[in-house]
Structure formats: structure tokens, C-alpha cells
Amino acid sequence: MTSVSRNTKRQSAGANSERTRQHNSKFVLSTLRHAQTQGDTAGRAEIARLSGLSIQAVSNIIADLEQRGLIRACGKRNQGRGQPAVQYEICANGAYALGFEVRPDALFCTLLNLHGETMCQKRSALMRATPDAVAQAMRETKTAILAEPGLAHEKILGAGIVMPGPFGTTGISGHDSELPGWQDIEITSWAEDLLKLPALIENDANAAAMAERISGVTQGLQHYACLYFGAGLGLGVISNGQALHGARGNAGEIGHIRIALPSGAQPLEAVLSRLALQDHLKSNSITADTSEDIAALFHENCPTLLEWLDLARIALCEAINLIENLLDPSTIALCGAMPGALLDALVKDLPLNQHSVAARPERTLPRIIRGSSGPMTAALGAAALVLNDAFTPQITTSA
């Protein structure tokens, strides 16, 4: 796949004014979303105080957001002298975010409302995840979603598209977990032309990390990491609430780092991934094509699977130590296309290295946790990218 461009072109003064307006609108939405996560609401004066904007500016933004159906008045609150202040909240179904995850054998789709609630999920099987096959599946899925009552194209804020990396041709290209035929495609333009929507492109691990931020176990955290089990193994990193991308969108390709194991040095993905588990089972004449197959083998205490689990736990400890000392996350979440019970077994009583910056006596979070979004994590994260963009004020500087 081509690299994901995030360069900012020089803008005119008018464009800068428009970006400032969008920034301020996002700040209001962000304030209301934060209040929502606390089970609360917010009024004009509180938003003005937090943003540094004037009451009049906040009133204008609120009027615009109300007209667009994104927020609504929800009562009044006494705040000392004067009239009770009108309170506002985000309208759950005022708009939606569409998310697609492209895997080697399937296309997964989710639709989230503005509260991050899942409105629908769809799966389309793919013989091969070529651009033509994916395009056809995306068109059919979008058509089916827009046929649902109360949905219309104009109510969809945008589409998130997630895929396994690396993006572009690199020294680690050519692995089984990658997709065929995407190397020469500029994915953002391809997706926007296809779906007629603004598109955000991300690798599957960063998308999984964003899903946990929007509606999973890392809500409220600004710094954390996510080990994502897709076909291979990826690392999503959230710093200051934003995904870490790198120069070409390839930050987090942890699966290709070689680690020391009793049998010798191997790429992490060759041991700690779904493909590695399936290959280990296949070498013992056991087939497990789906997460359900793997879950059944685990519950049956399959000796071959338990043998892999012992080796995977050693590899996981090495990975955790590396991530902690390089990135200093608040915690590391495990998620993706692995059965929850198997992820729990990976994490349980893991002998983590105490020579780590994460081994602090004042910790309030476990060093490693299991994500809550399940096998649809990256597809949820694709839609969560759109919501995060809508709720995160950010002004980029001119080039």
C-alpha cells in the first residue's frame, strides 16, 4: 500500500479562519463529550471558561451545532445568582461514523453514533482482498446501511478505513498478513472517490487503540499502547490522545522486531500472532480457521495450543518490556482477532520484567490489560477515528 500522507499544504487566510472555526466547534463538542463520559452536561458559561472563548462566540457555535442536529438543550441548572443556565448534550443519533476493516479474507463494517454506540455491524467474505473485491464489498455494504430507517448519506460524518501495514513498499513487505495489489494505490483518494465521504486511513493496530479510547478499557487515558492481534501482530500507540503514525504511517510494526527466545532469535510475529498459532496447530495436523475454532481448542485444553501458549507468554513478556521502556504507556491493552479467554490466559500471572520504567509503586492501572472491543476492535476503531476527529480540536500549522 502507498504511504499515508499527512502533510499540510499552505493555506490562505480564509482557509485559516475556517480551520479556526472548525477547531472551536470541535472544542465545544469535546467539552460536551467529556461531560457525557462523566455522566454530566455543560452550559455556555462553563464552555466559555474552559475554551477561553467569549460567551457570544460559544453561543454562535452552539446555535450552529444545534441547527446541524449534533447537540441539543437538555434542561437547566442553578449556578448561584441569576437565571438557571441552559445545559447541552450531544445528540446520540445526530450523526454517524462509518468504519471498514479490510482483512485478507473479509471486510468488516461498523456504524457508530455520536455516543460511540454500535448501530450495526456487517461482514462480507472475500476470496482475496484485492482493491476491486474490496470496492465492490464496500459499495454493497454502504448501500445496505443507508437502507436502514433514519439513515441518510448526509448524516454520515465520514469513513474510517483500516488495513494491516506496512504502507508502501518497505524492507519488511511481502508477509502473509498483508493484502495483495494495494502497493500503487493512494488509499485516501481511492476511498473518498468510492464512498463519496471524507476518509481517514489508519493501520489496524492504531484503529484498535482508538476503539478502546472511544468505548473500551482505555477511555479517559491520554498515553497507552495496544497490541493488536490481526492476522499478524501490530502495535497501536496513543500519545496525548492522538495516534502515533511515524513518517509514512508505519509506526508500530512491532511484529517484525526480532526477539530472543529459547529456540533462538525470531520475529515477534512468528511466535505471538494468530498466524503463528495457526501454523503451530497445522504442524500438528490441527486446523483452526476461525476464532471460534481456536476458542473451542482452548476450552478443550488442546495440548498443542497450550504448548504454543507457553512460548507466546515468553514472547509477550519481551514485547511488553520493549514497549514500556521505549514509550512509557499508562498501560498496554491486548485485543483483536483472538478469543477473549485465550487473551486472558496470555495475561494471567505474566512474569513481567521488574527492570522497567512501568514498575512503579504508585501505579493505579495494571501494566497489561485485555481490551473490551473483541474481534471487531479494528472495525470499531475505523469508525472511532471519525468520531475522534470530530471531537478533537486541532489546528495544524502551515508548511
Side-chain angles (χ1 to χ4, degrees), residues 70-318:
L70 301 181
I71 68 173
R72 64 187 173 199
C74 58
K76 296 183 179 182
R77 177 183 296 169
N78 288 315
Q79 295 178 319
R81 296 180 179 178
Q83 295 293 320
V86 177
Q87 300 293 290
Y88 295 91
E89 65 182 6
I90 292 172
C91 294
N93 296 320
Y96 302 92
L98 193 59
F100 290 100
E101 179 195 3
V102 185
R103 295 185 188 174
D105 60 351
L107 175 74
F108 291 81
C109 178
T110 60
L111 186 76
L112 301 183
N113 68 14
L114 291 183
H115 284 185
E117 298 164 337
T118 302
M119 305 306 294
C120 68
Q121 297 182 341
K122 296 184 181 295
R123 179 187 186 277
S124 303
L126 299 171
M127 291 297 292
R128 295 183 76 226
T130 62
D132 287 345
V134 171
Q136 180 178 343
M138 281 186 177
R139 279 193 293 263
E140 292 174 353
T141 300
K142 182 190 171 191
T143 299
I145 286 175
L146 291 179
E148 298 286 336
L151 283 171
H153 181 91
E154 58 270 17
K155 294 192 74 172
I156 300 180
L157 296 175
I161 317 289
V162 305
M163 299 176 169
F167 294 109
T169 301
T170 74
I172 60 173
S173 298
H175 290 263
D176 291 341
S177 60
E178 296 173 29
L179 305 177
W182 291 85
Q183 282 72 21
D184 298 323
I185 291 179
E186 204 295 302
I187 305 169
T188 302
S189 298
W190 176 89
E192 291 183 340
D193 289 344
L194 175 70
L195 298 170
K196 310 305 180 190
L197 291 168
L200 295 171
I201 313 302
E202 190 57 87
N203 67 56
D204 48 12
N206 272 346
M210 196 57 68
E212 296 294 345
R213 173 174 168 78
I214 292 292
S215 57
V217 297
T218 58
Q219 291 183 71
L221 297 184
Q222 294 296 306
H223 305 272
Y224 62 92
C226 179
L227 269 175
Y228 176 70
F229 291 84
L233 184 73
L235 176 68
V237 179
I238 302 297
S239 180
N240 281 329
Q242 296 293 322
L244 178 66
H245 298 114
R248 296 291 182 271
N250 287 322
E253 287 291 339
I254 194 172
H256 301 283
I257 294 177
R258 297 182 71 83
I259 59 168
L261 294 169
S263 58
Q266 294 188 58
L268 184 61
E269 192 173 86
V271 181
L272 186 65
S273 69
R274 193 169 107 166
L275 274 176
L277 170 56
Q278 290 170 324
D279 287 345
H280 185 76
L281 292 169
K282 192 177 296 183
S283 68
N284 289 271
S285 302
I286 301 172
T287 301
D289 293 329
T290 67
S291 292
E292 290 75 16
D293 294 338
I294 295 171
L297 290 171
F298 178 72
H299 289 301
E300 292 166 6
N301 291 317
C302 170
T304 303
L305 188 148
L306 297 179
E307 181 181 73
W308 171 85
L309 185 61
D310 288 339
L311 186 60
R313 282 166 57 83
I314 296 172
L316 179 58
C317 284
E318 293 291 326

